[in-house]
Amino acid sequence: MRIRLTIEYDGTPFRGWAAQPGQATVEAALREALAATYASYDRLAVAGRTDTGVHALANVASVDVTGGPPPERAAEALNTRLPDAISIVAGGEADPGFHARHSATARSYRYRLFTRRTPSPFETRRSWWYPRPLDEDRLHAAAALLPGEHDFRAFTPTETQHEVFVREVESAAWTRRDDHLDFEITADSYLRHMVRTLVGTMLDGVELEPLLSGADRAAAGQTAPPWGLYLVAVRYPPTAS
């Protein structure tokens, strides 16, 4: 039986999603919980393989399981075996053809800036403290250039396994929420570090338009730190479940 899990986690204590020998990762913790909950499991897949320190509000995993609790109790059962930094917020049976990664049609990310003049202990590793002056009109204009199909080669490390650098952005915008300034983007898929480098480049004041046709990485700006980034949502076709 295939089940679908919606997962939120604080990425601070983890070396990202993907299991690595000798490292604490979200995948390793989930695999340990699955092994303790079900007679067997196989074909674990995830919608977003987040990097070290990156958070998720609604990452999605699919996995085949045998034995154990019924699918409607999957979240409750797994949460008793997961660390406090990870929570399964929803679980249930999925169609046999559902795949958390390949069935997804879009993913949405949010990057949070904390712009108060003084830092907050409650924002540590939850946002990027950025007390410097910001030209928000310029940031809005830069984000408005992103929707559409572009070559984002400038926004991923030069040493990469990617062979195709074109991605289609559905929406992108900066939103002010009191002391937070959030960059929110939805796209079909992403290159490694793409969102963080877009944020860093915009904050550095580098013009985006000349970079969106396959410019070199050196032409873009800094890569923002991981702790301000959240995977917010994954979208699937109405028939996928």
Side-chain angles (χ1 to χ4, degrees):
M1 176 179 58
R2 182 158 297 182
I3 59 173
R4 170 175 168 172
L5 305 171
T6 302
I7 314 168
E8 67 178 13
Y9 49 85
D10 173 2
T12 304
F14 302 110
R15 295 284 294 179
W17 166 269
Q20 304 172 53
Q23 301 287 347
T25 69
V26 182
E27 181 184 9
L30 180 58
R31 286 187 177 277
E32 186 174 337
L34 287 166
T37 304
Y38 296 96
S40 67
Y41 74 91
D42 194 16
R43 296 183 176 87
L44 175 63
V46 71
R49 292 166 60 91
T50 50
D51 289 333
T52 298
V54 175
H55 315 295
L57 301 182
N59 207 344
V60 176
S62 56
V63 61
D64 293 342
V65 297
T66 59
E72 63 271 16
R73 292 190 54 220
E76 179 183 7
L78 289 167
N79 282 333
T80 64
R81 296 180 168 96
L82 285 167
D84 291 342
I86 305 174
S87 177
I88 308 297
V89 297
E93 186 171 0
D95 292 336
F98 176 77
H99 189 283
R101 178 185 174 192
H102 300 313
S103 299
T105 58
R107 296 160 179 82
S108 298
Y109 282 88
R110 176 182 300 142
Y111 195 95
R112 305 213 81 188
L113 298 179
F114 182 59
T115 61
R116 196 176 73 182
R117 186 177 61 84
T118 54
S120 168
F122 302 107
E123 293 292 330
T124 302
R125 299 287 168 171
R126 300 291 190 280
S127 60
W128 185 12
W129 180 47
Y130 202 91
R132 298 183 284 283
L134 289 166
D135 185 341
E136 295 189 29
D137 289 339
R138 183 185 56 77
L139 292 175
H140 289 311
L145 297 171
L146 293 173
E149 192 172 82
H150 305 288
D151 186 327
F152 287 96
R153 193 183 313 258
F155 303 95
T156 194
T158 302
E159 297 296 325
T160 179
Q161 295 181 348
H162 292 294
E163 296 180 357
V164 178
F165 298 90
V166 173
R167 297 293 186 270
E168 184 170 2
V169 174
E170 180 179 308
S171 63
W174 289 90
T175 301
R176 167 62 69 178
R177 296 181 173 98
D178 298 323
D179 287 329
H180 289 99
L181 184 62
D182 298 340
F183 175 65
E184 298 177 319
I185 183 169
T186 297
D188 57 350
S189 62
Y190 298 83
L191 303 173
R192 188 174 182 225
H193 296 174
M194 176 176 151
V195 178
R196 291 164 51 200
T197 308
L198 281 169
V199 169
T201 299
M202 286 187 278
L203 292 178
D204 285 348
V206 179
E207 292 296 325
L208 284 189
E209 192 166 15
L211 305 180
L212 296 174
S213 299
D216 292 337
R217 172 64 184 89
Q222 66 178 311
T223 299
W227 48 82
L229 185 61
Y230 295 74
L231 173 56
V232 174
V234 184
R235 191 170 70 220
Y236 296 94
T239 55
S241 62

